[in-house]
């Protein structure tokens, strides 16, 4: 039988259901449940495998941990593959996003396209020796078409096993993972990429292209294991890159109030605590976007991972989201359940409209209209909290659209609302990696706003005149917050921490000749500016909109 063509596989979706929800950064999204007892390497970080009730096996703390401590580090997981669109912009060995050898800035990592298949790009020869020499001819035969990530991951595993290049313990650990084939067969959601028909198609492709002698039923089970247990491979700033499969990491079960978070620094997977974890406590991560209301979370988990969430947040009466009543009492008093559902559904529809690729061809400002229309839906409802979804996600999309349109001032105003009134609730704790990344992005935005002001940008000058901000103090304060948290959020030896140090050193050198000297501004100066930033967060959006109406008049 001829294998399915890459075109027929591509029709299933870009990369078959993996990656985080669009623009909502959720470190755990894409991960899966595990039924594996092989914990090779995990005990080095004071963890152990054990029974976790109805969830099967889990990973537990062998000692007490404080917030931001490393509990698990895997220098090289079983295997990872890039999403198809990322093959041309990231190294398929170390996963650094960089320029090609014939372009890019001085000092950047250079990527060379494989001369054999023309598909993958890498910065070193190690990938060829490790695995690419087995798959290169397959990719060359299909070029310029590319197999979806799920199929490429399984083809690689099968080729490694056939060539005795995969440790037997890794293969055994993979086969011990749950596959949920019966649940996939019974699934009736036609909108899901992971239907039984699609699993059959992917399994047929993996079997034919790899040349494995395994029975097709067993290969279908392997596809199921990947769909259920793979983690989303991300950059240190949580941009999705592809899939990562590790039987050890798959031991981490889900909670809607997780006590750990997964991060990547190149191919190195790390799990760090988000808050204090007592000895013998189960270590958990989030599989889905846990900032969503409880009904959405439970529906997502049931549809993607085939279990009803029984964590304390979902089983509380009423259910909770991140430890808070869902919906908050004030919002529940102001809107009926039907009114609230209608409001949020309309907003989600408009957010989806803003993501239509056709809008991107109409200019950077085209996305703003549906997003601003969605934001206007919430304006009359003062009790709607800025941390509740979909408002928090809407604001994140709006900031991206404003940045693309080079509207720095409203982007800053909305970013400050997120900084003060959304992130502390959605990503509580100083060492939550997503919160630290968001602060880093805000720092970059402040630098851009300050530069625009120096260049005479009228909007920035109006902002400065209205609130009298000292950008040097703001930058210093944000940088100190990031520098003080990055060791606990990502690890002092991570690539993100190295980037923070490099940029921090450049800023400190530039600041030495300023009014605050080498020691920086006084604490009371920072407190003064933060009080001003809070006023911008409270009044800035309305001020900008009023200013725009005045200009129209």
């Amino acid at each position: 039988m001829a294998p399915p063509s890459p075109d027929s596989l591509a029709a299933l979706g870009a990369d078959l259901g993996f990656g985080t929800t669009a623009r909502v950064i959720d470190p755990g999204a894409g991960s899966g449940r595990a039924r594996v007892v092989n914990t090779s390497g995990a005990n080095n970080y004071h963890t152990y495998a054990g029974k976790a009730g109805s969830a099967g096996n889990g990973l537990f703390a062998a000692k007490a941990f404080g917030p931001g401590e490393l509990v698990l580090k895997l220098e090289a997981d079983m295997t990872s593959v890039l999403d198809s669109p990322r093959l041309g912009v990231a190294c398929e060995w170390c996963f650094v996003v960089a320029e090609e050898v014939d372009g890019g800035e001085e000092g950047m990592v250079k990527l060379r396209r494989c001369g054999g298949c023309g598909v993958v790009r890498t910065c070193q020869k190690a990938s060829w020796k490790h695995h690419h020499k087995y798959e290169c001819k397959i990719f060359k035969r299909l070029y310029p078409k590319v197999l979806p990530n799920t199929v490429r991951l399984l083809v690689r595993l099968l080729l490694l096993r056939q060539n005795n290049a995969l440790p037997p313990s890794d293969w055994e650990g993979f086969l011990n993972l749950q596959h949920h084939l019966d649940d996939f067969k019974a699934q009736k959601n036609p909108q899901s990429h992971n239907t039984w028909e699609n699993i059959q198609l992917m399994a047929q492709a993996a079997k034919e292209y790899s040349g494995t002698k395994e029975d097709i039923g067993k290969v279908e089970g392997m596809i199921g294991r990947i769909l259920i247990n793979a983690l989303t491979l991300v950059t240190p700033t949580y941009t999705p890159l592809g899939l990562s499969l590790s039987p050890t990491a798959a031991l981490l079960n889900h909670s809607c109030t997780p006590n750990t978070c997964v991060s990547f620094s190149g191919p190195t997977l790390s799990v760090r605590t988000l808050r204090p974890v007592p000895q013998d406590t189960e270590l958990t991560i989030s599989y889905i976007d846990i900032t969503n209301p409880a009904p959405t979370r439970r529906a997502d988990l049931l549809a993607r991972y085939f279990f009803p969430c029984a964590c304390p947040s979902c089983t509380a009466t009423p259910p909770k989201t991140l430890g808070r009543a869902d919906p908050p009492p004030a919002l529940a008093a102001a809107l009926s359940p039907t009114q609230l559902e209608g409001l949020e559904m309309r907003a989600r529809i408009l957010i989806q409209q803003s993501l239509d690729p056709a809008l991107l061809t109409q200019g950077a400002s085209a996305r703003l209209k549906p997003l601003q229309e969605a934001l206007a839906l919430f304006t009359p409802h003062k009790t709607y909290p800025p941390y509740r979804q979909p408002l928090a996600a809407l604001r994140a999309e709006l900031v991206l659209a404003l940045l693309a349109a080079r509207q720095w001032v409203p982007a800053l105003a909305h970013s400050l609302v997120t900084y003060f009134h959304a992130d502390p609730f959605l990503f509580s704790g100083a060492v939550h990696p997503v919160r630290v990344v968001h602060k880093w992005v805000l720092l970059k935005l402040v630098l851009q706003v300050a530069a625009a002001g120096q260049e005479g940008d009228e909007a920035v000058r109006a902002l400065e005149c209205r609130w009298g901000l000292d950008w040097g103090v703001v930058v210093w304060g944000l940088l100190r917050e990031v520098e003080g948290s990055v060791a606990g959020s990502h690890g002092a030896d991570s690539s993100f921490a190295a980037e923070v140090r490099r940029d921090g050193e450049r800023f400190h050198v530039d600041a030495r000749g300023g009014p605050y000297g080498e020691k920086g501004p006084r604490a009371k100066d920072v407190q003064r500016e933060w009080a001003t930033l809070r006023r911008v967060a409270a009044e800035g959006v309305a001020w900008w909109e009023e200013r725009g109406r005045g200009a129209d008049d």
Side-chain angles (χ1 to χ4, degrees):
M1 181 185 296
S5 70
D7 283 336
S8 66
L9 291 167
L12 304 181
D15 272 310
L16 297 138
F18 278 93
T20 56
T21 306
R23 303 295 180 188
V24 178
I25 301 179
D26 178 35
S31 55
R33 302 179 74 193
R35 296 294 184 273
V36 59
V37 295
N38 173 22
T39 58
S40 175
N43 289 327
N44 294 332
Y45 292 91
H46 307 288
T47 63
Y48 65 90
K51 293 297 181 181
S54 60
N57 294 325
L59 203 61
F60 292 80
K63 73 177 191 70
F65 289 97
E69 288 196 49
L70 182 69
V71 298
L72 179 66
K73 186 174 184 178
L74 301 173
E75 297 290 351
D77 55 5
M78 189 173 182
T79 194
S80 297
V81 297
L82 292 167
D83 293 337
S84 298
R86 296 289 181 179
L87 286 169
V89 296
C91 174
E92 69 96 40
W93 177 251
C94 70
F95 307 116
V96 170
V97 178
E99 299 290 336
E100 285 190 82
V101 65
D102 58 348
E105 299 177 6
E106 184 72 23
M108 289 188 67
V109 173
K110 308 297 185 181
L111 298 186
R112 295 182 182 275
R113 187 188 296 271
C114 174
C117 65
V119 173
V120 304
R121 305 185 188 204
T122 184
C123 61
Q124 50 190 300
K125 298 179 180 179
S127 63
W128 175 265
K129 295 179 180 179
H130 182 265
H131 60 260
H132 189 58
K133 61 184 178 182
Y134 306 122
E135 61 193 17
C136 185
K137 290 182 179 180
I138 299 171
F139 293 174
K140 181 179 181 179
R141 175 156 49 103
L142 296 173
Y143 186 80
K145 306 299 184 182
V146 178
L147 293 170
N149 56 7
T150 309
V151 179
R152 279 187 280 114
L153 192 151
L154 182 52
V155 166
R156 179 180 296 174
L157 287 180
L158 291 169
L159 291 173
L160 288 172
R161 176 164 166 75
Q162 291 168 29
N163 288 276
N164 298 315
L166 186 70
S169 59
D170 282 0
W171 183 251
E172 181 181 354
F174 173 57
L175 294 182
N176 283 336
L177 298 174
Q178 277 200 342
H179 52 64
H180 282 280
L181 285 191
D182 289 340
D183 291 313
F184 279 118
K185 291 177 182 178
Q187 190 178 57
K188 302 300 181 182
N189 182 6
Q191 295 181 340
S192 172
H193 287 305
N194 301 331
T195 63
W196 174 238
E197 290 75 14
N198 291 346
I199 289 174
Q200 289 179 302
L201 187 62
M202 288 187 282
Q204 181 187 344
K207 178 176 172 60
E208 296 295 334
Y209 286 120
S210 68
T212 182
K213 303 300 182 182
E214 297 281 2
D215 178 82
I216 188 63
K218 291 184 179 180
V219 180
E220 290 167 351
M222 295 172 193
I223 291 290
R225 289 177 177 90
I226 295 171
L227 295 176
I228 292 293
N229 293 281
L231 292 159
T232 302
L233 175 70
V234 294
T235 67
T237 54
Y238 288 96
T239 299
L241 286 177
L243 301 181
S244 177
L245 184 64
S246 166
T248 300
L251 276 168
L252 292 159
N253 286 312
H254 168 81
S255 174
C256 291
T257 52
N259 53 23
T260 70
C261 188
V262 175
S263 65
F264 286 87
S265 182
T268 300
L269 180 155
S270 297
V271 181
R272 310 187 78 89
T273 52
L274 295 174
R275 57 179 181 273
V277 177
Q279 184 176 344
D280 297 321
T281 300
E282 185 183 4
L283 302 169
T284 56
I285 60 174
S286 59
Y287 290 5
I288 44 96
D289 184 2
I290 57 173
T291 67
N292 278 322
T296 302
R297 299 197 309 269
R298 301 193 78 176
D300 286 348
L301 289 167
L302 193 59
R304 294 178 62 182
Y305 301 107
F306 307 110
F307 69 92
C309 188
C311 77
S313 291
C314 287
T315 54
T317 305
K320 296 182 177 181
T321 296
L322 299 173
R324 295 169 181 81
D326 185 9
L331 182 60
L335 295 173
S336 70
T338 301
Q339 290 173 320
L340 182 60
E341 182 181 1
L343 168 67
E344 294 177 341
M345 182 178 297
R346 177 59 180 157
R348 287 190 173 94
I349 291 173
L350 288 168
I351 293 171
Q352 284 302 118
Q353 289 178 4
S354 76
L355 299 172
D356 185 347
L359 285 180
L360 300 178
T361 65
Q362 301 174 24
S365 299
R367 289 191 62 211
L368 288 174
K369 184 176 180 180
L371 293 171
Q372 290 169 336
E373 183 180 343
L375 187 66
L377 296 174
F378 295 96
T379 302
H381 306 291
K382 305 303 181 184
T383 58
Y384 199 100
Y387 57 80
R388 182 177 171 85
Q389 298 293 9
L391 181 54
L394 164 61
R395 199 178 301 278
E397 289 293 342
L398 183 57
V399 168
L400 290 174
L402 289 166
L403 292 175
R406 302 180 68 81
Q407 296 189 26
W408 314 122
V409 172
L412 176 64
H414 283 288
S415 295
L416 288 173
V417 174
T418 297
Y419 173 79
F420 284 114
H421 303 301
D423 278 2
F425 299 92
L426 298 177
F427 311 108
S428 61
V431 297
H432 197 299
V434 176
R435 190 175 179 187
V436 174
V437 168
H438 284 184
K439 289 180 181 180
W440 185 242
V441 173
L442 176 59
L443 170 60
K444 299 283 190 179
L445 175 56
V446 169
L447 288 169
Q448 175 61 53
V449 171
Q454 292 176 347
E455 295 170 1
D457 186 290
E458 292 184 5
V460 176
R461 289 292 178 85
L463 175 73
E464 294 170 339
C465 182
R466 175 70 175 79
W467 279 284
L469 285 159
D470 187 328
W471 299 119
V473 176
V474 174
V475 171
W476 191 285
L478 286 171
L479 183 59
R480 283 298 173 91
E481 286 190 9
V482 175
E483 289 176 332
S485 301
V486 70
S489 66
H490 292 73
D493 60 344
S494 66
S495 57
F496 181 68
E499 181 183 356
V500 170
R501 285 192 295 270
R502 286 194 299 270
D503 282 7
E505 288 168 1
R506 284 196 291 267
F507 173 76
H508 291 310
V509 168
D510 293 341
R512 284 172 188 165
Y516 303 108
E518 213 166 315
K519 293 182 178 180
R522 297 168 297 180
K524 68 177 185 179
D525 295 323
V526 176
Q527 292 169 0
R528 181 196 67 235
E529 291 306 312
W530 252 242
T532 304
L533 291 177
R534 284 187 177 274
R535 291 198 297 274
V536 177
E539 307 166 16
V541 173
W543 167 78
W544 177 259
E545 292 175 349
E546 183 64 30
R547 187 174 182 271
R549 285 192 291 270
D552 293 339
D553 294 339

